[in-house]
């Protein structure tokens, strides 16, 4: 097994992998460790299989703070009729 360990400061969604050419066209396992990162409230990807990237939405920070204006059933009917 070949392993690489390095530290990086992330400023975007891209990460440069050292010695990429040695790993090119191979299946790799990536593990990201971060110090004290607050969980995202917008979108998390939870998966045990990298091919199954099903988004998991967490709206717990909005619970009890939103209030619907208007007729919810009429809006649902309108959206359903668009199909």
């Amino acid at each position: 097994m070949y392993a690489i360990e390095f530290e990086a400061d992330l400023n975007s969604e891209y990460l440069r992998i050292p010695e990429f050419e040695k790993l090119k066209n191979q299946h790799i396992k990536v593990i990201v460790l971060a110090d004290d990162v607050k969980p995202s409230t917008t979108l998390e990807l939870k998966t045990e299989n990298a091919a199954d990237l099903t988004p998991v939405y967490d709206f717990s920070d909005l619970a009890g703070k939103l209030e619907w204006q208007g007729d919810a059933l009429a809006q649902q009917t309108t959206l359903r009729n668009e199909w």
Side-chain angles (χ1 to χ4, degrees):
M1 178 178 274
Y2 180 74
I4 298 175
E5 181 178 335
F6 63 95
E7 294 187 17
D9 294 321
L10 292 180
N11 297 319
S12 73
E13 61 196 76
Y14 301 103
L15 180 65
R16 183 168 300 278
I17 299 175
E19 303 178 34
F20 167 77
E21 289 299 322
K22 290 182 181 179
L23 304 170
K24 188 175 181 180
N25 298 322
Q26 294 186 42
H27 179 80
I28 64 169
K29 182 176 184 178
V30 178
I31 300 173
V32 177
L33 302 173
D35 295 329
D36 300 325
V37 174
K38 294 181 182 179
S40 172
T41 58
T42 54
L43 173 64
E44 293 180 31
L45 294 177
K46 293 184 179 180
T47 181
E48 293 189 14
N49 180 359
D52 178 31
L53 295 177
T54 306
V56 177
Y57 298 92
D58 178 17
F59 296 108
S60 61
D61 62 327
L62 300 174
K65 296 180 182 176
L66 301 177
E67 189 174 314
W68 183 261
Q69 301 291 325
D71 184 359
L73 184 56
Q75 183 64 38
Q76 180 182 7
T77 304
T78 302
L79 291 172
R80 188 181 308 124
N81 289 339
E82 289 178 2
W83 297 352

